[in-house]
Amino acid sequence: MQKPKKIFNNTDNIRSEIMEGLVYAGRGKIHALPEYCAVYRTLAQNGQTVIVSGGGSGHEPTFAGFVGEGGIDACALGEVFTSPSPDQIIEASRAVHQGNGVLFLYGNYSGDGMNFDIAAEILAEEGIECRTVRATDDIASAPPERMSDRRGVGGLAFLYKLTGAAAQFEHYALPELEALANKANHNTRTIGVALSGCALPQADAFNFTLADNEIELGIGIHGEPGLCRIPMPQSDELVEMMIERLCNDLPFAKGDSVCVSVNNLGALSNTELMVVTRKVGMALTARGIKTYDVQVGHFCTSLEMSGFSLSMLRLDDEMQRLYDHPIRTLGWRN
């Protein structure tokens, strides 16, 4: 079996080098806390409620690639597929706090939850109020009646987009921002599919393997087992299967207005993504679901995993208004 090839330097320095790359690409608008491996954006000092996120590296541009205008305000970078520490989260929060509280917004993973909760307790002792919303959009990770157990995956980008707009442009207070994030999360669903595994930087083998004619439906972004392994279908059949599962889970209804993300998990070609995107539009139109916007590209990756995920956000008037605000981050610009 061929060993994975990686373009890295010393694998012990990956997250710090990611941080340095983010700062360089941010062109003076993204700043680093080198000792704590965290980044934050230039703020207008207008007293806004701030949004802090964090998570393991290896999912770029999630999480830190959404720091910027119209996005989140600060982010702590963990090691690859590993949660950031409480100290990192605390320092990132201190760097941006403006006196009106902090919303912690991140994926629903046990290590992240524990460390963000510790950070919130320590910050509360300093008089900094923190509230938490965990993204739970991955429909493959638990049934609807256990939505709080679901993982947060590609749909988190929609939550960043809406809460960033609300905090920066419409100056939502912390309770309002928390309510918005919960509503957006409740109306977001994601499902992914893998054609191959990925390999951690220090590993000499992929974290799972699939037969040549096999795919895994419902794969997690760390390679967590999905719903099933099936013979590889044609693109249209696969997309129809995924859209059907998404629409049954919420459920989306005729006349709903949705935003769609076609997310490259790592190694899929843009050619394949366009073929997938074409069928997504056809499948939603056939169901009478209106597409308000579609984003195609890398939003939440899993190193070099070959595959993609589909995320759908069902809009209401408030979310549509907020969605229309500009965003200028490395992970998403419009």
Side-chain angles (χ1 to χ4, degrees):
M1 181 182 296
Q2 185 179 18
K3 291 185 178 181
K5 297 178 181 178
K6 305 277 190 180
I7 302 178
F8 288 136
N9 298 305
N10 185 333
T11 55
D12 293 336
N13 299 331
I14 289 175
R15 64 172 176 165
S16 62
E17 293 180 356
I18 291 171
M19 176 188 66
E20 291 165 1
L22 288 165
V23 171
Y24 173 68
R27 310 309 298 144
K29 296 182 180 179
I30 303 295
H31 312 282
L33 296 170
E35 183 180 352
Y36 297 97
C37 209
V39 295
Y40 63 98
R41 74 179 188 93
T42 303
L43 273 74
Q45 300 301 317
N46 58 5
Q48 71 160 79
T49 303
V50 295
I51 303 163
V52 175
S53 190
S57 299
H59 303 300
E60 286 71 28
T62 297
F63 305 83
F66 292 97
V67 173
E69 181 183 353
I72 60 176
D73 300 296
C75 187
L77 287 73
E79 299 286 3
V80 174
F81 291 4
T82 303
S83 304
S85 70
D87 285 348
Q88 291 179 266
I89 299 161
I90 290 165
E91 293 304 321
S93 301
R94 287 171 175 163
V96 293
H97 181 241
Q98 297 201 40
N100 285 309
V102 179
L103 178 68
F104 286 157
L105 181 57
Y106 56 92
N108 188 32
Y109 298 90
S110 58
D112 294 325
M114 178 179 66
N115 290 345
F116 272 92
D117 285 349
I118 292 170
E121 292 176 5
I122 293 171
L123 289 168
E125 293 174 357
E126 301 176 10
I128 299 175
E129 181 182 4
C130 301
R131 299 197 182 187
T132 294
V133 175
R134 300 178 179 92
T136 56
D137 54 301
D138 181 7
I139 69 170
S141 52
E145 60 271 20
R146 288 175 36 226
M147 188 170 175
S148 63
D149 294 333
R150 287 179 168 178
R151 301 182 290 250
V153 287
L156 180 58
F158 286 135
L159 275 60
Y160 288 156
K161 174 75 177 74
L162 295 174
T163 55
Q168 294 179 33
F169 301 118
E170 300 199 8
H171 305 293
Y172 277 35
L174 183 56
E176 298 168 324
L177 202 61
E178 178 190 29
L180 168 68
N182 278 315
K183 179 172 70 169
N185 182 55
H186 178 75
N187 283 279
T188 301
R189 298 290 189 276
T190 300
I191 188 170
V193 63
L195 286 67
S196 68
C198 61
L200 292 172
Q202 300 88 347
D204 58 4
F206 294 101
N207 56 357
F208 67 91
T209 58
L210 294 164
D212 290 344
N213 66 337
E214 188 178 47
I215 63 172
E216 184 151 358
L217 184 64
I219 194 71
I221 58 172
H222 306 100
E224 298 96 336
L227 296 168
C228 56
R229 293 187 175 188
I230 59 175
M232 188 164 182
Q234 290 190 331
S235 175
D236 282 5
E237 181 184 350
L238 175 60
V239 172
E240 181 64 37
M241 189 185 310
M242 295 169 75
I243 292 291
E244 182 73 15
R245 288 179 179 269
L246 289 173
C247 289
N248 287 341
D249 194 271
L250 190 48
F252 296 91
K254 185 176 181 179
D256 281 346
S257 181
V258 302
C259 295
V260 177
S261 169
V262 182
N263 169 58
N264 194 337
L265 284 171
L268 215 63
S269 70
N270 285 338
T271 302
E272 292 163 288
L273 285 184
M274 284 299 107
V275 173
V276 166
T277 302
R278 156 196 166 273
K279 178 57 181 177
V280 171
M282 294 169 62
L284 294 181
T285 299
R287 290 167 170 78
I289 297 173
K290 303 173 184 177
T291 301
Y292 188 73
D293 186 40
V294 58
Q295 296 284 327
V296 183
H298 292 83
F299 302 105
C300 183
T301 61
S302 183
L303 295 170
E304 76 274 48
M305 184 185 290
S306 181
F308 68 95
S309 63
L310 300 178
S311 297
M312 292 170 55
L313 163 70
R314 183 172 62 185
L315 295 170
D316 63 9
D317 290 343
E318 179 190 27
M319 290 188 285
Q320 182 171 313
R321 183 189 76 246
L322 292 167
Y323 192 91
D324 287 342
H325 284 291
I327 183 169
R328 296 182 182 88
T329 68
L330 296 177
W332 188 343
R333 297 172 182 261
N334 68 356

